[in-house]
Amino acid sequence: MNIYIVDAFTTRLFSGNQAGVVILEPHENFPAESFMRRLAAELKHSETAYVKQLSPDAFRIRYFTPVEEVDLCGHATIAAFSTLRNEHLISPGYFSLSTRAGELSIRVQEDCIWMDMASPRELRILTEEESLALYQAYGLDLSHQPTGFIPKVISTGLSDILLPVNSKKALKEAVQQADAVSRLSRAYDSVGFHLFYYNENDTDGVKAYCRNFAPLYGIEEESATGTANGALTYYLYGYGNIEPAVENIFIQGEDMGRPSIIKSQLYVEGDQVLIRIGGSSVISMKGQLWS
């Protein structure tokens, strides 16, 4: 069983968001769930991806936090396919991926991995009273809510509470009250909170600056999140701030000392909205499990 530690959504070692990647041998089946959960806890990263090749162009991945299995993880998917490419197990091209969130398409390039998100869904628009409780869970209040933006719950494979703030200062100074965030995440059937500052002037080519928190799943803060930024892409598209077929850049993890670059693209086909998340990865460690 080959195990990798991979820095995802970055081209620099010890930056981005680390994921565990376990590549099963062709004859191996997925281990028992209890084993995969314990190994994820041993690696201590927010997610560990267990990768099984089904055919030359098809894979299945299961994702485990240190606490439990989740349906989808963007940064672990980017890490997994970067590892497969860098270890010469696949070549650039198109692949299908089976996950608990559905069947997804993956494009492997020499310098970037692109993954389709699950169909975006707006699950809930928060009232003013509900929004106040969300802001208070980060030591903020409604004065930090930007004009025209309303907190929402959106899913592109995993459900996140999208919480807009009106300045980079507010984003930096937000302090999580983990018990309150876990309680609210559970109440709204959400993985966690995705705080963001929309960079309206876009002078530096960055669409938004973000922070992500999922204490309900044992993740105090995460330096890069593919699914949450997929949800953010759909959120901003709903306000007219995202154009179809244009590459967007989100920055996350700066205050953790692990800046991450997450790319997104949105396409409209008939009445369907499709979202892709892209990024690069660097393998930092490789080893084998001793039994």
Side-chain angles (χ1 to χ4, degrees), residues 11 85 109-113 263 279-281:
T11 57
R85 179 198 61 202
Q109 297 177 311
E110 292 288 354
D111 61 348
C112 188
I113 307 295
K263 301 177 182 179
S280 302
S281 296

Side-chain angles (χ1 to χ4, degrees), residues 81-101:
F81 278 91
S82 293
T83 300
L84 290 166
R85 179 198 61 202
N86 293 347
E87 292 290 274
H88 306 293
L89 298 173
I90 60 173
S91 299
Y94 289 88
F95 300 86
S96 63
L97 174 62
S98 175
T99 74
R100 294 207 314 181

Side-chain angles (χ1 to χ4, degrees), residues 47 96 105 140 145 156 161 163 205 220 223 226 242 246 265 277 282:
E47 277 89 8
S96 63
S105 177
L140 306 172
Q145 180 177 333
T156 54
I161 298 170
L163 190 64
E220 183 175 351
S223 57
I242 293 284
V246 174
Q265 294 176 336
I277 290 292
V282 180

Side-chain angles (χ1 to χ4, degrees), residues 123-175:
L123 303 176
R124 186 169 184 146
I125 299 175
L126 284 304
T127 67
E128 183 173 309
E129 182 180 356
E130 291 170 329
S131 297
L132 176 59
L134 303 181
Y135 285 104
Q136 288 177 335
Y138 286 91
L140 306 172
D141 57 37
L142 292 178
S143 69
H144 296 97
Q145 180 177 333
T147 302
F149 284 168
I150 299 172
K152 297 181 179 181
V153 181
I154 293 178
S155 172
T156 54
L158 294 178
S159 168
D160 278 284
I161 298 170
L162 278 292
L163 190 64
V165 296
N166 58 5
S167 69
K168 283 190 74 175
K169 182 175 183 288
L171 184 68
K172 179 181 178 64
E173 293 179 352
V175 177

Side-chain angles (χ1 to χ4, degrees), residues 162-172 194-213 221 223 225 229 232 236 249-255 259-262:
L162 278 292
L163 190 64
V165 296
N166 58 5
S167 69
K168 283 190 74 175
K169 182 175 183 288
L171 184 68
K172 179 181 178 64
H194 197 61
L195 277 64
F196 70 93
Y197 164 64
Y198 171 61
N199 192 24
E200 186 173 3
N201 295 325
D202 197 16
T203 54
D204 53 5
V206 177
K207 184 65 69 173
Y209 293 87
C210 313
R211 296 179 69 185
N212 187 272
F213 307 85
E221 184 171 358
S223 57
T225 42
N229 283 296
L232 178 55
L236 292 174
I249 293 178
F250 303 106
I251 301 294
Q252 189 175 325
E254 284 188 311
D255 296 323
S260 304
I261 301 173
I262 302 105

